Amino acid sequence: MPSLLFIFTSADKDLKGGDIGWYLPEAAHPYYVLKDFATIDFASPKGPNPPVDSGGVKLFAEDPLSVQFLNDETVKSKLENAKKLSDVRTEDYDGVFYVGGLGPVIDLATDPINIKLASEFYQAGKITSAVCHGPAALVNAVDKDGKSIFSGKKATAFSNAEELPHGTEVIPFMTEDKISVVGTYEKSSKPWEAHVVIDGNLITGQNPASSTGVGKAILEVLQRK
C-alpha cells in the first residue's frame, strides 16, 4: 500500500497573538478520501499534538467528516504520535500533503527542515500537495536546478480576495502573491468555490471547499502508480 505524509503546522499564534493552527476540514476531508488506499502518517515541526485552529472547529461543528476526524481514535493516536519533521525521511513516502490553516504561513514557509523535505519530495517526482494556506509551506522549496517549484508551474492557494476580509496584518505574506511572483497562480471564478490545480506532481487546492478535490487528485495519482 502507498504511504503518504500529512504535514501539519506547529504554529498556534499569528503575528498579532491570535489563536491559529491547522484547519480541521482541510485535514479531515482528504484523510477520509485517502485512508483506505494509503498508509498515512502525521508530522509537524514540533511533533506530537499539532494545534488545531479553534475557529475552524466551531465553524465546521456540523460537518460530519470534521466531527468524525476529531473523535476518530486512529486519528487521535496519529496526532498524539505525530513525527517531528527532523525525523522524517522522504524515501519512506510516496507523497506529502500539507494541511492548511494560517499556521503554515507562520512556521512551515521558513522552516529549513521543511524546505529541505518539500524540495526532496518534489525533486524525487513524488506527490507534492497542499490546500488553502498549505502551499505557503512550499514557497521556498526548489527543484533540481535550484528554482522555485512553482517556477513555470500552475498552482493555486488561498486567494487575496479570500484573505482580505480576515485582515492581512496577522500573517507575514499572502500566499497568492508569493506564488504569482514565480509561477502561474490560478483561482476559482468566485471566492470560496472549490478549485484544484494539477501540474505534474504538484497538486494544490485553493480553499477549504477544495480539500476533498485535492484528496481525490492525490488518490488518482496513487492509483496510477
Side-chain angles (χ1 to χ4, degrees):
M1 185 178 286
S3 296
L4 292 172
L5 183 68
F6 275 37
I7 293 184
F8 297 75
T9 180
S10 289
D12 59 2
K13 299 292 182 184
D14 62 29
L15 297 182
K16 296 291 185 180
D19 291 335
I20 59 169
W22 55 269
Y23 208 64
L24 177 57
E26 295 168 11
H29 291 193
Y31 178 82
Y32 287 113
V33 170
L34 294 162
K35 75 175 188 69
D36 293 330
F37 303 95
T39 301
I40 300 174
D41 287 341
F42 291 176
S44 76
K46 295 181 180 178
N49 300 309
V52 63
D53 185 306
S54 59
V57 174
K58 293 174 184 175
L59 196 58
F60 286 83
E62 296 183 7
D63 174 61
L65 290 180
S66 293
V67 174
Q68 183 179 347
F69 193 81
L70 287 177
N71 294 287
D72 189 318
E73 291 302 323
T74 299
V75 170
K76 288 181 182 179
S77 177
K78 289 179 184 291
L79 288 168
E80 290 169 359
N81 295 284
K83 296 182 177 183
K84 286 187 177 182
L85 291 187
S86 57
D87 293 330
V88 169
R89 300 191 314 163
T90 54
E91 57 263 37
D92 292 338
Y93 300 97
D94 296 289
V96 63
F97 169 68
Y98 287 91
V99 179
L102 282 181
V105 189
I106 301 293
D107 63 352
L108 290 170
T110 54
D111 183 295
I113 296 173
N114 175 65
I115 293 168
K116 180 175 181 290
L117 287 172
S119 300
E120 289 176 353
F121 274 108
Y122 185 81
Q123 291 175 23
K126 298 183 176 187
I127 295 167
T128 306
S129 59
V131 70
C132 201
H133 289 92
L138 302 173
V139 298
N140 287 306
V142 295
D143 62 17
K144 291 179 179 178
D145 296 321
K147 297 179 180 178
S148 167
I149 67 170
F150 293 110
S151 178
K153 293 286 186 177
K154 297 176 181 178
T156 190
F158 204 53
S159 69
N160 289 355
E162 292 162 329
E163 196 87 74
L164 289 170
H166 300 281
T168 59
E169 71 282 352
V170 298
I171 51 176
F173 63 85
M174 291 192 285
T175 311
E176 175 182 341
D177 290 344
K178 283 283 190 180
I179 293 174
S180 298
V181 171
V182 290
T184 301
Y185 175 85
E186 297 184 350
K187 61 184 176 182
S188 57
S189 58
K190 295 179 181 178
W192 306 106
E193 288 184 348
H195 188 67
V196 176
V197 177
I198 305 167
D199 194 338
N201 59 318
L202 182 64
I203 301 172
T204 48
Q206 180 177 328
N207 48 31
S210 309
S211 302
T212 296
V214 170
K216 290 179 177 179
I218 295 169
L219 181 58
E220 287 179 12
V221 175
L222 288 177
Q223 291 179 330
R224 290 201 302 265
K225 288 183 177 294

